[in-house]
Each structure stands twice: as C-alpha cells, then as structure tokens.
C-alpha cells in the first residue's frame, strides 16, 4: 500500500474503469444502425454483444489470478493494448462475422483491465483508505455507463457507427501511456507469488462459466444452437464436480475454495449475487411499464433513467469514506434497504400510476447502488489475502455479469408465469395489450425480488461489523 496517494496510479485505475463502462454501454445504442449498415439481422449483430459478455464473465477471474501471480501491471497494461487494437479493428470490420470476432477480443481486453483496476486503486491510496479507493472506481465505472449511450448516439448521428469504436482508441492509448509511465516509476507493492499457475483449472473455469451463461441466458444458448436447458444443467453439474475435485487436489488452485471460509468474503459475495440479479430484473421490466403502460415517450423515459447513475456516482465516494470509518456492514446494509424500498414501490405500481412513482423507484435504486456497491466490493477484495486480491476483483466482475444474465432470464420467466396466471390464458406471452394482467404480473415479480433482497440484507448483516482486514492465508 502507498504511504501517500499515488495520483498517477489512481488516475490510471480510474481510466480503466471508465473505458470499461463506456465500452459496455456505447455499443448497445448502435445495434440497429450496425445491423442495417452491415446488411445483417438483429440476431447476428447481437452475437457481437454476447461475445463481449462471454469473454468478460468467463475470463475475469482467470486474469485476476494471473495478475496475482505474474504481476498486475503486465495484465493491466496488456488489457489496454488489446482493448485499443480491438476497438480500432471493430471500427474497420467489413462484415458482421469479423465484428463478432473483434468484439470477442475486445471483451478479453476489458476482462484484463477489470481484473486489476480496483486492486491498483487500493494500492494507490494509503492503508485504511480502501473504501475511498473503491468509491473512485464505482464513480468512474458508472460515469462511463452514464456517458456511453448519449455519446454513442451523438457519434452515430454526426459521424457513423464505426466511430463509436474509433472513439475508444484514444482513451485506450491514454490508459496505455499512463500504465507505462507508472510502471517506470516505483513499482507496486510485491505480492506473494505461488510457484505455478493452475492452467487446467483455469481452462475448466472458463468452460464452466460459458456453460452457466448458456444455462441462464437462453438467447446465448439459442444463438449457438445449444440443446435443452436440462442437458446443459446436467453437464454443468458434472463439470462443476470435476472442477471442485481438481481444485482441492492442486497445490496452487485458480480458485482457492478456502477463501470462502472467510466470513466477510463469503457473505459479501452472496449479497452481490442477489443484488445484481434483482437489480437486473428491475431495470429489465420497468421500461416496458413506463413506455407501454404509462405511454411515456422513449426520450422522457431516458431522462428518468438518468437519475439512478447520477445518484450512484454522487454517493460512491461518500460510501467509501463511511466504509473506511465504520466498516462495510452499515453503508452496504443502508444501500440494500433503500433498494428494497424501490421494490416495495414496484409492488404498488398500478395501471394509472403517476410517472413520479417509477421516477422515485429509480432514484431509490441509484441511492441504494451508491451506498451498496463501494462497501461491498471493498469487503470482497479487502478481506482476502493480498496475494488473492486480483482473484477477488475478477470474482466481482463475474458475479455482476452472471447476476445480470440471471436477472434477465429469471425476470422473463417469472413475468411470463405470472402473466399467464392473471390473464387466465395458459400460453399467453406478456404484453401491455392487457395492461391489468401485465402490471399485476410485474408487481408479483417485484415481490419475489423483494424476498431475494431480504436474503441479501441478511447476508450483509452476517458479514460482520468490524473494519476490513486482509486474511493471513
């Protein structure tokens, strides 16, 4: 840890989080335009989105652990180079097939960056300021998420869709230069390094993560022609058993299962998965309610949705200060409680509710995220031995990604079942054409989410109230 704030290192880490946030969202707004420009259907273009997600989810933990072993600067700097080159290639892609390949490579670069950014920020600030460091990371990432869609739309209107990728190149170059400049200065604190890398375990983990993604995200499974969910689930269960057996036998596993005996780490990971899943359901369903039931315009809805990231960005550093002073349990629990309030509002929404209610729901979501994300991520990364902080950072990224996919899949399934019940039509597809049944189904889905958030709240309370201390082993 630094004795004083290493401004260059902190700026470098914030740059990594920012470009990750921008790259995640800027592509989404360009999907229809790219499909038209490349003479492809929306399903083909969506593969470029799926490829990016798969790379990020499946490789974050692996790169995090490799950074623990071989040094985080090597992984982090290489991530910027890969991100920069692949972004330029995406902008030059002559067809949708090449775009998918280059987006996959871009996802690899994003995973390399994300696996190290938070750890480097924690090393940039003095001992005891881990919460503040993660506050800066949350602020930077959500800043990228906030700017990505409007920036992408503006670039497409003024230039072309190719420039949404070319725009990432100078950001990537700046991150590369900052990494090189910092690496030539004083080096990061040395970490305990195992003798070897568990490459077999790493390969098994990547395969398992892809399989789990296909299980929870039917869009991905259908896109590659995968079989039934039951077959995928059975294969995943067998693979998981083999992976656990392997990890327990090797000397230096890619996933040290003993870390889950650390109380703060285990309960924080559980809280994160529950939070990410339910938050994904919330943002997945609400646009249909605002636009199709309340009949508000897309631009008006877009303004409403700005409130959540703005509030998250505004509160992230404050939550970090609180974490450093009183530990992660209090601010994280406050955040979860406020998000639970947003679901309580969602349960009470009606066909003729005023738009102020979903606006209040989104505001509560932003406040809750602002208070929860920073302390919870600090608890996950700060509670493990320093030699495993890269692994913990990668696990944070994986949990967010899996939670997002699981939320969309679970939200769609719950809404469908509830809609069929309230509409009285056994094979009905959820539609705002039957607004009463749709809103009742959405209310019931949010009620289930409230129950899942209660689990997250209990886990947050059980994590312990002491300040974060790195485990010895």
């Amino acid at each position: 840890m630094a004795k004083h704030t290493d401004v260059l290192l902190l700026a470098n880490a914030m740059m990594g989080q920012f470009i990750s946030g921008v790259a995640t969202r800027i592509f989404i707004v360009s999907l229809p335009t790219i499909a038209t420009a490349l003479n492809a259907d929306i399903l083909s273009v969506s593969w470029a989105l799926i490829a990016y997600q798969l790379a990020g989810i499946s490789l974050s933990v692996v790169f995090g652990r490799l950074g623990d072993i071989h040094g985080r600067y090597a992984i982090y700097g290489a991530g910027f180079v890969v991100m920069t080159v692949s972004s330029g290639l995406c902008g030059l892609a002559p067809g949708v097939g090449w775009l998918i390949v280059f987006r996959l490579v871009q996802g690899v670069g994003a995973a390399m960056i994300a696996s190290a950014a938070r750890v480097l920020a924690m090393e940039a600030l003095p001992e005891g300021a881990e919460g503040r460091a993660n506050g800066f990371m949350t602020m930077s990432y959500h800043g990228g998420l906030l700017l990505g869609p409007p920036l992408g739309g503006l670039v497409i209107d003024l230039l072309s869709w190719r420039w949404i990728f070319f725009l990432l190149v100078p950001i990537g170059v700046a991150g590369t230069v900052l990494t090189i400049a910092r690496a030539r200065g004083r080096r990061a604190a040395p970490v305990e390094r195992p003798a070897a890398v568990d490459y077999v375990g790493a390969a098994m983990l990547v395969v398992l993560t892809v399989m789990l993604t296909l299980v929870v995200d039917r869009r991905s499974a259908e896109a590659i022609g995968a079989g039934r969910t039951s077959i995928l689930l059975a294969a995943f269960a067998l693979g998981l058993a083999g992976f656990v057996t392997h990890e327990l036998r090797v000397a230096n596993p890619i996933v040290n299962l003993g870390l889950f005996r650390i109380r703060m780490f285990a309960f924080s990971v559980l809280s994160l998965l529950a939070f990410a899943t339910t938050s994904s359901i919330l943002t997945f369903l609400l646009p249909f309610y605002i636009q199709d039931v309340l009949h508000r315009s897309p631009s008006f809805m877009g303004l409403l949705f700005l409130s959540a990231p703005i509030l998250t960005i505004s509160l992230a550093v404050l939550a970090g200060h609180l974490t450093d002073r009183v530990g992660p349990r209090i601010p994280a629990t406050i955040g979860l409680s406020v998000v639970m309030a947003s679901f309580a509002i969602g349960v009470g929404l009606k066909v003729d509710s005023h738009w102020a209610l979903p606006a209040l729901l989104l505001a509560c979501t932003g406040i809750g995220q602002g208070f929860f994300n920073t302390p919870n991520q600090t608890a996950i990364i700060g509670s493990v031995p320093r030699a495993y902080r890269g692994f913990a950072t990668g696990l944070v990224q994986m949990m967010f990604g899996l939670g997002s996919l699981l939320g969309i899949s679970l939200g769609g399934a719950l809404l469908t079942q509830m809609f069929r019940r309230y509409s009285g039509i056994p094979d009905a597809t959820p539609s705002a054409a039957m607004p009463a049944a749709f809103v009742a189904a959405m209310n019931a889905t949010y009620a289930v989410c409230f129950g899942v958030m209660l689990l997250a709240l209990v886990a947050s309370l059980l994590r312990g109230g002491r300040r974060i201390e790195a485990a010895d082993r």
Side-chain angles (χ1 to χ4, degrees):
M1 296 293 293
K3 293 183 179 180
H4 305 286
T5 299
D6 188 329
V7 177
L8 186 60
L9 180 57
L10 180 60
N12 192 11
M14 292 178 69
M15 181 71 73
Q17 287 292 89
F18 179 76
I19 194 174
S20 296
V22 171
T24 299
R25 286 288 177 86
I26 198 172
F27 178 73
I28 295 175
V29 299
S30 66
L31 285 173
T33 304
I34 292 176
T36 301
L38 296 180
N39 296 316
D41 56 46
I42 194 67
L43 182 61
S44 299
V45 175
S46 69
W47 250 106
L49 181 63
I50 293 170
Y52 183 90
Q53 291 175 323
L54 281 176
I57 294 171
S58 63
L59 293 173
S60 293
V61 168
V62 173
F63 282 130
R65 190 68 190 120
L66 289 175
D68 289 332
I69 295 169
H70 294 299
R72 297 184 185 101
Y73 274 104
I75 299 296
Y76 192 67
F80 269 116
V81 173
V82 172
M83 173 69 81
T84 303
V85 174
S86 61
S87 295
L89 291 174
C90 283
L92 297 171
V96 69
W98 283 109
L99 180 63
I100 293 169
V101 172
F102 296 146
R103 276 285 287 178
L104 177 66
V105 178
Q106 190 183 45
V108 173
M112 297 171 80
I113 292 171
S115 69
R118 287 184 180 270
V119 190
L120 294 177
M122 292 169 70
E123 292 177 353
L125 270 68
E127 189 81 38
E130 292 85 355
R132 194 150 48 98
N134 276 281
F136 286 125
M137 293 297 95
T138 299
M139 182 178 67
S140 301
Y141 182 72
H142 281 269
L145 293 181
L146 177 65
L147 290 177
L151 189 59
L154 183 64
V155 169
I156 290 172
D157 288 340
L158 295 180
L159 299 170
S160 77
W161 67 268
R162 296 184 183 276
W163 281 91
I164 68 168
F165 296 110
F166 293 149
L167 182 69
L168 297 177
V169 172
I171 302 176
V173 170
T176 304
V177 171
L178 281 174
T179 304
I180 294 173
R182 179 55 182 77
R184 288 180 175 175
R186 58 189 181 85
R187 294 182 177 273
V191 296
E192 182 181 335
R193 297 185 179 182
V197 177
D198 176 22
Y199 289 110
V200 173
M204 292 176 72
L205 179 62
V206 171
V207 172
L208 279 172
T209 309
V210 172
M211 290 174 64
L212 182 57
T213 302
L214 296 178
V215 169
V216 301
D217 185 18
R218 293 309 302 161
R219 297 172 307 165
S220 302
E222 290 169 1
I224 66 170
R228 287 188 257 175
T229 301
S230 57
I231 298 175
L232 282 171
L233 194 57
F236 172 77
L238 288 174
L240 181 61
F243 175 72
V244 170
T245 301
H246 172 79
E247 294 299 273
L248 291 173
R249 288 178 178 175
V250 297
N252 300 301
I254 197 75
V255 176
N256 186 346
L257 298 175
L259 295 177
F260 289 91
R261 291 196 291 265
I262 302 172
R263 177 179 172 184
M264 182 172 288
F265 176 78
F267 282 114
S268 298
V269 170
L270 179 59
S271 290
L272 176 57
L273 181 59
F275 172 83
T277 301
T278 54
S279 296
S280 179
I281 294 175
L282 184 92
T283 54
F284 171 57
L285 298 183
L286 198 61
F288 295 99
Y289 171 75
I290 296 174
Q291 185 168 335
D292 296 337
V293 177
L294 299 186
H295 304 293
R296 295 291 172 175
S297 67
S299 59
F300 183 83
M301 181 175 64
L303 291 175
L304 292 185
F305 270 80
L306 283 176
S307 62
I310 289 174
L311 287 168
T312 299
I313 293 168
S314 302
L315 294 169
V317 176
L318 172 62
H321 278 290
L322 286 174
T323 302
D324 292 332
R325 291 178 63 86
V326 301
R329 182 166 67 175
I330 292 176
T333 303
I334 290 172
L336 291 173
S337 299
V338 177
V339 174
M340 288 179 71
S342 70
F343 281 111
I345 295 171
V347 171
L349 291 175
K350 302 183 184 305
V351 174
D352 57 351
S353 292
H354 193 277
W355 62 263
L357 282 178
L360 179 61
L361 184 156
L362 288 168
C364 287
T365 302
I367 293 171
Q369 287 178 338
F371 274 103
F372 173 78
N373 284 337
T374 296
N376 196 72
Q377 273 68 284
T378 305
I380 291 174
I381 301 168
S383 62
V384 301
R386 295 187 186 278
Y388 284 92
R389 283 188 169 180
F391 160 78
T393 302
L395 187 64
V396 167
Q397 300 304 123
M398 178 190 284
M399 288 297 102
F400 266 121
L402 286 177
S404 177
L405 294 178
L406 182 60
I408 293 173
S409 178
L410 181 61
L414 283 172
L415 185 71
T416 300
Q417 292 303 315
M418 297 298 180
F419 184 82
R420 290 173 178 174
R421 176 185 175 186
Y422 288 111
S423 67
I425 304 174
D427 58 349
T429 299
S431 170
M434 301 177 66
F438 181 87
V439 173
M442 185 186 70
N443 296 152
T445 301
Y446 283 164
V448 173
C449 292
F450 186 91
V452 176
M453 285 298 296
L454 187 60
L455 171 65
L457 185 68
V458 171
S460 180
L461 291 171
L462 290 175
R463 80 174 86 214
R466 66 184 185 282
R467 294 190 179 184
I468 300 169
E469 297 178 1
D472 295 330
R473 297 180 59 82

